[in-house]
Amino acid sequence: MEPHHAAALQLLIQDPSRVILDPQVVELLSKDFYWYSPVLRNQLEGKVGEIVVQPHSAEEIQKILGYCHANNIPVTARGSGTGNYGQAVPLRGGVVLDLAHMDRLEQIQADGVAVCQPGVRLGVLEGEARKVGWELRCYPSTIIKASVGGFLGGGSGGIGSVAHGALRDFQTVRALEVVTMEPDPRVVFHEGDAVHDILHAWGTNGIISRIWLALTPAVEWSQVIAAFDTYATAFDFAEKIATGAEWSKRLVTVFEWPIPSFFTPVRQYSPAGKSLIYFMIAETQSAALETSAREAGATVPYAGKYTGLVSRPLLSDYTWNHTTLWAMRSDDAYTYLQCGFDPDTVRDQMRQLRATFGNEILFHMEFMKNAAGRVIPGAIPLVYFTTTERLNEMIDFCRGIGVFVANPHVNYVEGGGRYRADNAQLRAKHRYDPEGLLNPGKMVSFHSESAEANTSGAKVK
Ligand code: FAD
């Protein structure tokens, strides 16, 4: 990037300290957790932006995008950089738009809707919400670090999803404002179904600048670990609690042995050889859950009150995609898949996977509610990586037996499993980023259409 662009951007936001050129900082803020995938690790190594700009307001974002549009400079939005498909890694240099400073929680409305800027950390929002009787409906296990805007841009669900579904379900995202990449960038309000134009688009079709997020009444939670002799009995018990409407729960996670052996800080709660279930359950039901688990043949190595994100142990730190992190720390050949099993045939699906792949796949299940309101066995199984071909063989096999796979080893929105079949995100990109300058290369259907249009002389609408 030519040096005069940095000076011009500094002038635009009138604060040189928020326009960063230091190569080390730029490199740091160009990375996320893409190295979770051995495939992406090779593909994205060395991809960096050229300059970081840190806006404070939607007006500043408008100015920055207007300048970048006029000068054909790519812009990649960044929340906290905890995405793990390289969503926030700039493929074509340009500006990294670091939204961490837009961290104002404006209001928690009486109806339980939080209004905030995108850089608010989910952990901060959860803490503030609980002070006034509300809590997040669902959150990723990266809650302490991840931002609300990044969760909308690149996340999907997590703790709480067993009761409230994924982020995109049940109108959890009530509304958002998005800044467009045009000669005169606009701030456009999206409400109701129109939020799906922007959700999980990896910042390719607008910069989210304000969010209305629905919360749920806060519950006093307990954390419980149940240990079973076999994975089959652990799975049966977890399914019973997860699907039983009488249980008020926030987390139901099942790990087959040896996964619990990777959780070094909580090894004292991981009896050797046992499959474990991690629960967050309403405090009023904790004793009943323990009794029920023991009746089903389990021991209960841990049970205690949840005191917020400072709880020790904090069980969510070992669930969802944190499980993969602990496994990688133990042996960096581990990677993962993101799957949805069929609730009616899940046992047969798991049996077929074990018969075909042995211990190359280890079962880590996360129960979650789907959009139809049914609690289903989601999964983030660990995969012992050998080659890309073998990984793809496993993905194809899963799909062949009816297991849904959101492939975390590709770096474009359409491949990751949360892209909408009705092309809502692509249509929004044509409206809001017609030149393809926002996070270029990540929405491949846009770029392939543009290439076709360029060769045929046609204009893409
Ligand atoms: P970033 O990584 O900074 O950004 C994510 C994407 O959103 C990028 O494409 C970025 O360009 C875009 N973006 C950021 N801000 C904006 C904005 N304002 N406007 C438009 N686009 C924007 N995910 C889950 O869903 N559930 C989990 O349980 C979960 N567990 C994880 C555990 C670990 C250990 C790790 C490393 C990741 C996990 N993730 C999980 C992925 C990730 O943490 C979440 O998706 C998180 O919400 C991303 O937030 P972030 O602020 O770090 O976003």
Side-chain angles (χ1 to χ4, degrees), residues 32-33 35-36 61 76-84 86-89 97 99 118-119 122 139-143 145-159 178 198 201-204 206-209 211 319-323 325 338 380 439 442:
D32 61 13
F33 281 70
W35 47 265
Y36 250 57
I61 299 178
T76 302
R78 178 185 180 85
S80 300
T82 67
N84 36 22
Q87 294 107 309
V89 175
L97 193 71
L99 295 147
L122 286 161
Y139 57 87
S141 55
T142 46
I143 177 169
K145 198 170 174 207
S147 69
V148 181
F151 191 33
L152 266 59
S156 56
I159 295 99
V178 67
I198 308 298
W202 297 13
T204 57
I207 305 297
I208 300 164
S209 54
I211 295 149
T319 65
W320 288 84
N321 227 336
H322 265 76
T323 309
L325 192 60
Q338 298 186 150
I380 312 181
N439 209 353
K442 304 284 177 62

Side-chain angles (χ1 to χ4, degrees), residues 52-82:
V52 173
V53 187
Q54 300 176 317
H56 274 172
S57 64
E59 294 72 34
E60 285 190 353
I61 299 178
Q62 284 175 280
K63 285 183 193 168
I64 297 160
L65 296 197
Y67 182 85
C68 290
H69 188 277
N71 293 282
N72 204 29
I73 298 171
V75 175
T76 302
R78 178 185 180 85
S80 300
T82 67

Side-chain angles (χ1 to χ4, degrees), residues 257-325:
W257 185 264
I259 298 175
S261 70
F262 304 142
F263 307 158
T264 40
V266 287
R267 275 227 179 110
Q268 69 270 39
Y269 309 125
S270 307
K274 308 281 183 185
S275 288
L276 301 189
I277 313 176
Y278 277 20
F279 291 104
M280 280 181 81
I281 193 93
E283 199 183 10
T284 50
Q285 296 182 321
S286 180
L289 178 71
E290 288 176 53
T291 304
S292 190
R294 288 192 177 100
E295 283 168 4
T299 57
V300 179
Y302 176 81
K305 187 173 162 53
Y306 172 77
T307 52
L309 296 170
V310 294
S311 304
R312 290 295 171 269
L314 181 63
L315 295 194
S316 63
D317 271 354
Y318 304 90
T319 65
W320 288 84
N321 227 336
H322 265 76
T323 309
T324 315
L325 192 60

Side-chain angles (χ1 to χ4, degrees), residues 195-256:
V195 301
H196 297 292
D197 297 353
I198 308 298
L199 286 187
H200 209 84
W202 297 13
T204 57
N205 61 12
I207 305 297
I208 300 164
S209 54
R210 199 170 177 212
I211 295 149
W212 285 256
L213 189 72
L215 306 168
T216 187
V219 172
E220 292 301 323
W221 298 106
S222 283
Q223 305 185 108
V224 176
I225 301 178
F228 288 82
D229 286 339
T230 67
Y231 174 66
T233 48
F235 183 83
D236 288 348
F237 187 71
E239 183 189 56
K240 182 178 130 185
I241 304 302
T243 56
E246 67 279 22
W247 296 100
S248 170
K249 62 257 159 181
R250 208 179 192 188
L251 182 70
V252 181
T253 309
V254 195
F255 308 108
E256 73 170 318

Side-chain angles (χ1 to χ4, degrees), residues 1-16 19 21 51 53 60 63-64 67-68 71 73 95:
M1 185 185 296
E2 293 165 35
H4 71 270
H5 290 311
L9 286 163
Q10 281 171 342
L11 206 64
L12 270 184
I13 64 172
Q14 299 193 339
D15 182 353
V19 177
L21 285 159
I51 188 169
V53 187
E60 285 190 353
K63 285 183 193 168
I64 297 160
Y67 182 85
C68 290
N71 293 282
I73 298 171
V95 167

Side-chain angles (χ1 to χ4, degrees), residues 359-399:
N359 285 346
E360 273 178 77
I361 184 162
L362 293 177
F363 294 117
H364 157 208
M365 313 300 282
E366 295 286 354
F367 282 91
M368 61 186 301
K369 191 175 273 180
N370 68 15
R374 184 168 182 190
V375 175
I376 60 156
I380 312 181
L382 292 175
V383 175
Y384 203 81
F385 181 80
T386 48
T387 63
T388 305
E389 291 68 35
R390 184 69 174 162
L391 182 67
N392 289 334
E393 214 177 290
M394 196 182 282
I395 293 172
D396 290 344
F397 185 88
C398 283
R399 289 175 175 158

Side-chain angles (χ1 to χ4, degrees), residues 126 129-136 215-221 250:
E126 164 84 356
R130 282 183 72 87
K131 282 182 197 163
V132 290
W134 300 95
E135 65 185 23
L136 292 170
L215 306 168
T216 187
V219 172
E220 292 301 323
W221 298 106
R250 208 179 192 188

